[in-house]
Amino acid sequence: MPLTPAIAEWAGQPLRDRVVIVTGGAQGVGRGIAQAVLGAGGSVMIADLDAAAGKACLQEWALPDRAAFQRTDVASERSVQALLKATLKRFGHLHGLVNNAGLASAHGTPLAQMTLAEWQRRLSSLHGAFLCSKHALPALRKQAGAIVNIASTRAWQSEPDSEAYAAAKGGLVAFTHALALSEGPQVRVNSISPGWIATDAWQAPARRRTPKLSRRDHAQHPAGRVGQPEDIGALAVFLLSELSGFITGQDHIADGGMTRKMIYAD
């Protein structure tokens, strides 16, 4: 079983003494963001449905004073309220919220056969961003805080049978700029649209794998490689910190240049 990369320390510690909630923070991109927050000197509450993955993070990080876990269903208002209560009880205040939780798979049932229940379930990342932002905003306003919503390049380009996922991620981008105008200047709100991010090594220990990536996989990207959770974590830290104090209401595409690449069928 491969080891998830260790927490990388940031020079200058731009999130020192700041508290950040990361939903879906126990694995994948969310874990990459949570580790980046810790490396930048911050404290993190990871919220995730997977209790085993959450507990594994705390054990592997061994930072009990700055990391905590709360099992959370971001589609349940009661669960989100409990998350905010637990965060404030543990850390006393809140400076940042990263709305990352949601279904990872972009492909669903063809639209003509999709039930309303599946459609609603596949919009969970959008519902979660609404509920978490709603209940976090009172605390964030007190600290001139920041929200980062994790969207996707699928908000801008698509494949067949991905309508619900695209709607959720496109909705997050629109939700971002609308909320930025509603909450500015007290709270800044931005989104990140990741492209292809290799998360195999960032799962719970039982599901952790070394990514199987070919030269062709890497070569598809103008940056020369497939993305890693650390790439999204670094951008999230920037957007959560005072380094980005003049940036709000924006979507930031982190895809190694793929959405700028013209692709023609042979």
Side-chain angles (χ1 to χ4, degrees), residues 2 12 14 24 30 38 47 80 85 102 129 138 145 153 163 179 186 209 214 223 226 229 231 239 248-249 263:
L38 292 169
V80 169
K85 183 178 180 180
T153 50
E163 290 86 0
L179 188 60
Q186 289 88 353
R209 301 289 184 272
S214 68
V226 173
D231 297 316
L239 294 172
T248 192
I263 301 173

Side-chain angles (χ1 to χ4, degrees), residues 55-162:
K55 292 174 183 177
C57 286
L58 299 187
Q59 183 177 13
E60 292 173 342
W61 294 338
L63 292 171
D65 293 337
R66 293 200 290 124
F69 168 71
Q70 175 79 10
R71 187 179 185 278
T72 306
D73 178 359
V74 297
S76 163
E77 188 156 19
R78 181 176 295 181
S79 186
V80 169
Q81 288 173 309
L83 167 65
L84 268 297
K85 183 178 180 180
T87 302
L88 294 175
K89 181 179 180 180
R90 175 67 180 272
F91 296 111
H93 42 248
L94 180 66
H95 300 86
L97 167 66
V98 179
N99 288 311
N100 168 72
L103 295 182
S105 174
H107 299 282
T109 305
L111 194 67
Q113 287 82 48
M114 184 178 289
T115 64
L116 179 58
E118 181 182 349
W119 176 266
Q120 292 282 24
R121 182 171 61 87
R122 289 188 171 278
L123 293 181
S124 60
S125 60
L126 183 56
H127 300 327
F130 155 64
L131 288 173
C132 291
S133 298
K134 171 185 175 180
H135 291 288
L137 277 167
L140 291 173
R141 291 179 189 130
K142 293 178 183 178
Q143 304 296 333
I147 295 173
V148 177
N149 298 314
I150 305 302
S152 169
T153 50
R154 289 175 184 272
W156 306 106
Q157 54 184 181
S158 294
E159 291 179 301
D161 299 327
S162 62

